[in-house]
Amino acid sequence: MKEIVYQENIYPGTRAELVARLREVLSDHRFQHVLGVEQAAIKLAEQNGCSVEKASVAALLHDYTKERSAEDFIAAIKAYHLDPDLLRWGNFIWHGVVGAEMVKTELHVTDEEILNAIRRHTVGAVTMTTLDKIVYVADYIEAGRSFPGVEQARKLAATDLDQAVSFETKHTIQFLMEQNKPVYPQAILTYNRWVAGKNRRIYE
Ligand code: GDP
Ligand code: FE
Ligand code: FE
């Protein structure tokens, strides 16, 4: 396991302090998931010329609010004056976009690259930075994940991060549709950019 020594003051404390905080707010299962995402993200950062410290902090924080109550999120959406349309969705969307605001105020992490990676980690975005892609993909391929296709996703991630983004986006939406689940509109935009014929002209 690779343990990064924080030097850039992105998180105002040590990595051990951040990990201790996560242990308090996450179930053991999710805590282990987050550590797995961190390891995967560090590896992807090294392979893709991204800051490993940013990858570590963003990965550790990506699900910081995943176990909050709906009441907490609803109050936060109102308090931060976020788009009221969010109220129609649930935890799976809130823990990214609303979670980033909670990370900012509760943990004093103000780096917008980190906050954006948290915001975008569930449904991606039309425009994604390398850090966004790293957290999005690391979340999907971390060592604790096992689902049909995860090995292929790991192989793609090792050779081409963009192809891994494309694979993940397609398979997540396919999976949701097979179960007649609602697809968040932003996820469709991500699909159009990263899967559907790589139709860059329209979006860039
Ligand atoms: P996790 O927080 O580590 O479990 O992973 P994610 O943040 O990537 O996803 C959270 C959950 O939301 C997963 O169960 C996804 O399958 C689900 N999810 C992602 N996008 C959508 C969507 O557009 N609609 C619905 N209904 N679920 C989604
Ligand atoms: Fe998540
Ligand atoms: Fe996650």
Side-chain angles (χ1 to χ4, degrees):
M1 195 199 85
K2 221 168 206 161
E3 208 169 310
I4 304 294
V5 176
Y6 289 173
Q7 294 173 319
E8 298 173 33
N9 205 33
I10 298 160
Y11 177 73
T14 64
R15 178 185 172 282
E17 285 164 349
L18 172 47
V19 168
R21 187 101 188 219
L22 293 170
R23 207 190 271 281
E24 287 170 11
V25 298
L26 298 177
S27 62
D28 192 53
H29 172 77
R30 191 157 322 271
F31 178 70
Q32 295 303 331
H33 161 67
V34 162
L35 293 180
V37 177
E38 185 205 19
Q39 291 305 304
I42 288 170
K43 202 165 154 191
L44 291 174
E46 287 169 345
Q47 289 167 350
N48 292 278
C50 183
S51 156
V52 287
E53 182 167 336
K54 283 203 180 191
S56 166
V57 175
L60 286 175
L61 289 176
H62 85 283
D63 279 342
Y64 171 69
T65 61
K66 180 83 186 203
E67 292 172 5
R68 292 289 174 97
S69 68
E71 291 70 32
D72 275 13
F73 282 118
I74 289 164
I77 290 165
K78 292 174 181 165
Y80 296 118
H81 306 289
L82 300 176
D83 184 349
D85 178 70
L86 282 168
L87 295 168
R88 306 192 309 121
W89 295 86
N91 175 294
F92 77 95
I93 285 301
W94 294 337
H95 82 284
V97 286
V98 189
E101 303 305 323
M102 292 167 153
V103 163
K104 191 174 178 178
T105 50
E106 295 173 19
L107 303 180
H108 312 289
V109 172
T110 55
D111 186 307
E112 278 296 315
E113 281 180 43
I114 302 275
L115 299 174
N116 278 335
I118 296 169
R119 289 183 182 112
R120 296 169 182 164
H121 88 264
T122 303
V123 298
V126 171
T127 304
M128 294 172 86
T129 64
T130 303
L131 184 68
D132 295 338
K133 294 174 193 171
I134 285 171
V135 177
Y136 183 72
V137 170
D139 191 16
Y140 196 64
I141 64 162
E142 62 100 354
R145 294 277 198 210
S146 63
F147 54 84
V150 72
E151 277 311 325
Q152 203 185 337
R154 287 183 181 128
K155 270 189 203 137
L156 288 173
T159 53
D160 187 332
L161 189 57
D162 285 2
Q163 277 195 46
V165 169
S166 173
F167 182 91
E168 174 178 347
T169 302
K170 175 172 176 163
H171 288 264
T172 301
I173 290 184
Q174 223 162 27
F175 174 77
L176 294 167
M177 287 190 168
E178 272 159 19
Q179 297 184 76
N180 292 341
K181 291 238 172 105
V183 177
Y184 192 61
Q186 177 68 57
I188 301 286
L189 299 181
T190 304
Y191 168 86
N192 285 343
R193 164 63 179 85
W194 293 98
V195 184
K198 307 281 190 288
N199 203 350
R200 291 154 207 265
R201 271 179 310 120
I202 296 175
Y203 299 106
E204 291 181 356

